[in-house]
Amino acid sequence: MNKRTFLKSLGVLAGASPFFGFNSISSESNPSTLLPKSLQKGDVVGLISPSAATADRMQFTFAKEALEALGFQVKLGENLKNRRGHLAGTDQERASDLNQMFADPTVMAIICIRGGSGAARILPLIDYKLIKNNPKPLMGYSDITALHCAIHSQTGLISFHGPNGTGSWNSFNVQAFNQLFFEKKLVQYKNEQVKGDDLVIKNNRIQVLKAGTAEGKILGGNLTVLTALSGTPYYPDFKDAILYTEDIGEDPYKVDRMMSTLRLNGTLDQIKGFIFGQCSDCEPGGGYGSLSVDQVLDDYILPLNIPAYSGAMIGHISKQFIIPNGAEVRMDSTKGSIELLKPVFQS
């Protein structure tokens, strides 16, 4: 995942935001939680690309067929297949697809085809008043964290950190989707563990950083994208929240830098619980004295004395939880579980 262009562009757009866009940034510091409308099989879902371009044309076919197999009709974004450099079209084109899907009364949910980088560029162009008046499920992960954070901070809408359209739609993810979206269950998320031929289970193990339980609004997403929003109007209010994070391809010293940002901007002092998912390909390099991600988490999380664990099935992995970003949950760090406390859809 190439996030460097995203980081550079964010600063430019944050300063330029008063000069373009819908000028509909909420004056509320913490808007009330807004539930999206519920889904049924046969509904129309919109497929958009608010971040990076998709190079392999077959991926569009895979994404459409996967959503149809879930039971939906699929409407492709007008600019879905566009390309401008590494982006899926211009900022205006990508924002337009998002706004149009929220405005279209026939579209009941919106799925992002992929992440990559670039979603933060369109945040000033999103019509948040439109979204607040037409609350629909939005799903994706990785760079889509920018949309989850911005939309929740500006409207209070719960969105879904889960598989992208071109992601893995294995039986685990399909079952999780059905339970959450169609059966409307108050899901309890707990790592799948399958014992192989070894004496002990080694896959999907959690590490308890601090034992305990906590209740609060679950917020977060990709660590790089989240911390890059710090200091902008699109950064969520983490007071009494449960923070969850994940990342991929980041050296531990970069994870350390990002965790330092969360401490310096006050986020870590406000949260009631912490859940770290998977940091894929984040092992120490060959340099002398490199910290490990485990050590970084110990340095920043243990002093907080709050319930915390790592290893949750959240991140750039084939089987992943679908986290309703902004929902009320109870976490148990000893069990490694996250339980929804309230419905996440309108009745």
Side-chain angles (χ1 to χ4, degrees), residues 96-130:
S96 176
D97 275 5
L98 177 67
N99 290 329
Q100 286 181 17
M101 290 300 182
F102 272 105
D104 189 337
T106 68
V107 173
M108 303 306 294
I110 303 162
I111 309 294
C112 300
I113 194 170
R114 62 161 298 176
S117 70
R121 295 173 59 109
I122 72 171
L123 299 187
L125 301 174
I126 294 173
D127 190 338
Y128 296 100
K129 184 177 180 181
L130 171 70

Side-chain angles (χ1 to χ4, degrees), residues 168-182:
S168 177
W169 286 101
N170 50 62
S171 58
F172 179 92
N173 291 348
V174 170
Q175 181 183 32
F177 186 94
N178 289 337
Q179 288 179 341
L180 184 63
F181 286 90
F182 294 143

Side-chain angles (χ1 to χ4, degrees), residues 35-43 45 70-72 108-109 135-137 158 160 174-189 322 324 327-328 339-347:
L35 303 183
K37 296 176 182 178
S38 61
L39 284 177
Q40 298 179 0
K41 287 184 180 291
D43 282 344
V45 298
L70 286 170
F72 297 116
M108 303 306 294
K136 304 175 183 181
I158 290 175
F160 299 86
V174 170
Q175 181 183 32
F177 186 94
N178 289 337
Q179 288 179 341
L180 184 63
F181 286 90
F182 294 143
E183 299 171 26
K184 311 297 190 296
K185 289 186 176 181
L186 294 180
V187 179
Q188 183 181 72
Y189 302 90
I322 302 176
E328 293 290 329
E339 180 182 3
L340 294 182
L341 296 178
K342 297 179 180 179
V344 295
F345 298 101
Q346 297 180 17
S347 57

Side-chain angles (χ1 to χ4, degrees), residues 227-304:
T227 54
L229 294 177
S230 178
T232 74
Y234 310 107
Y235 193 76
D237 182 354
F238 281 95
K239 182 174 174 54
D240 295 330
I242 309 296
L243 169 63
Y244 72 99
T245 65
E246 61 82 28
D247 221 311
I248 182 172
E250 298 291 359
D251 293 329
Y253 80 87
K254 296 177 183 177
V255 176
D256 178 71
R257 180 188 296 145
M258 291 183 280
M259 292 301 296
S260 178
T261 296
L262 294 181
R263 181 169 66 184
L264 294 172
N265 70 11
T267 297
L268 296 185
D269 289 333
Q270 297 183 73
I271 61 175
K272 295 172 66 176
F274 177 79
I275 300 166
F276 195 78
Q278 306 288 322
C279 198
S280 308
D281 301 322
C282 297
E283 290 76 20
Y288 173 77
S290 177
L291 293 172
S292 68
V293 171
D294 288 339
Q295 290 173 314
V296 170
L297 294 181
D298 286 350
D299 287 345
Y300 290 97
I301 301 303
L302 294 185
L304 303 178

